[in-house]
Amino acid sequence: MADDSARTREEPGGTGTAEPPPYVPGHGLLAGRTAVITAAAGTGIGGATARRFLQEGARIVVSDAHPRRLAETRAALAGEFGDRAVAAHLCDVTDETQVGALFRRTAEEHGGLDIVVNNAGLGGTAPLVEMTDAQWDRVLDVTLNGTFRCVRAALRSFRAAGRPGVIVNNSSVLGWRAQAGQAHYAAAKAGVMALTRCAAIEAAGYGVRINAVAPSLARHPHLEKVASAALLDELAAKEAFGRPAEPWEIANAIVFLASGYSSYLTGEVLSVSGQHA
């Protein structure tokens, strides 16, 4: 029986590559649950995750630091899935006051919280010998410290409510692998992995699971603002399927970690990667 989930074509020169697979329909895996998704505006992994969660039956609160993009994202999702299914709150994850307000408002307005997806992160490319303190600090503050602030706020919310929950952090394979010009980003993502493992041990006692995804390459307009097309093409060519991931393919892995199908996983980092070993 033919499997069309990864349709393969043969390129000149004999290199097999795969077209993106068909989009997977929802199966109600998150029905009735309330989720916060940070950095969810636009067409990146956060936006794809918001759409997938809605398709799986969740109510979502999307946050972002960009007012216009957030409003546009909320309007588009509400138009498709219903006004009551989507809320939006501005939140800059480098600001502890805004992070605390996001989680308090979510608990108050929706009667509690079930899932948190920490997607906010900041990249860039700079050789280490030329990198400034400001460049290093900015990437670490958004990507690692921002995740810390959101994990802490989520755990406080779960503990105060006395209810179990799930946190999924967005890391990167660069937390394990080396790439020139990415010392700040790689250090931050490795930190997210370590934070995930340690926080999971602490949170297990009150029924909260914490895991992370580590994508290799998901190409979208946000990424193209901080990396050249030539570099992204080069990285895509190294992937086993000869293509980058679709953002929704990363979102599928996040849905798995947020759902009951991963009920015995905590403190794990799931590589969502098509790279050659």
Side-chain angles (χ1 to χ4, degrees), residues 4-254:
D4 68 350
S5 64
R7 295 165 293 171
T8 302
R9 72 177 189 273
E10 197 70 21
E11 291 289 343
T15 301
T17 61
E19 298 284 0
Y23 194 86
V24 180
H27 291 80
L29 297 180
L30 306 177
R33 304 176 78 183
T34 299
V36 167
I37 305 168
T38 68
T43 58
I45 292 171
T49 300
R51 181 173 294 278
R52 288 263 39 162
F53 271 43
L54 288 164
Q55 292 167 338
E56 294 294 347
R59 297 179 299 273
I60 66 168
V61 177
V62 291
S63 78
D64 206 281
H66 301 277
R68 179 185 57 79
R69 285 206 323 234
L70 181 61
E72 290 172 352
T73 297
R74 195 263 175 194
L77 292 173
E80 183 175 353
F81 295 95
D83 192 69
R84 296 181 62 185
V86 188
H89 298 309
L90 282 171
C91 182
D92 180 345
V93 298
T94 68
D95 185 326
E96 170 59 20
T97 299
Q98 292 187 39
V99 170
L102 170 65
F103 286 92
R104 283 194 302 274
R105 288 184 65 183
T106 298
E108 292 168 0
E109 294 173 2
H110 300 276
L113 175 65
D114 300 295
I115 303 164
V116 176
V117 179
N118 290 314
N119 176 65
L122 180 68
T125 301
L128 190 60
V129 295
E130 299 174 7
M131 189 179 295
T132 66
D133 282 8
Q135 287 175 302
W136 175 273
D137 290 344
R138 179 62 176 162
V139 169
L140 268 289
D141 198 23
V142 174
T143 307
L144 176 56
N145 298 346
T147 301
F148 154 69
R149 293 183 189 102
C150 290
V151 169
R152 180 176 61 186
L155 290 180
R156 288 172 175 172
S157 179
F158 288 135
R159 187 175 64 178
R163 61 191 290 171
V166 180
I167 299 173
V168 183
N169 297 324
N170 191 0
S171 185
S172 167
V173 294
L174 288 184
W176 294 308
R177 300 172 182 171
Q179 184 176 316
Q182 295 295 311
H184 46 359
Y185 185 73
K189 290 300 191 180
V192 169
M193 292 179 178
L195 170 65
T196 297
R197 290 189 289 266
C198 293
I201 296 301
E202 295 183 21
Y206 43 98
V208 177
R209 298 191 298 108
I210 307 176
N211 294 291
V213 293
S216 55
L217 179 64
R219 194 162 183 174
H220 52 81
H222 295 340
L223 181 63
E224 291 170 356
K225 292 179 181 178
V226 298
S228 69
L231 174 60
L232 294 176
D233 289 343
E234 177 185 346
L235 294 173
K238 296 178 180 178
E239 298 287 315
F241 296 130
R243 65 171 179 88
E246 297 293 318
W248 61 263
E249 291 180 289
I250 310 303
N252 284 349
I254 294 172

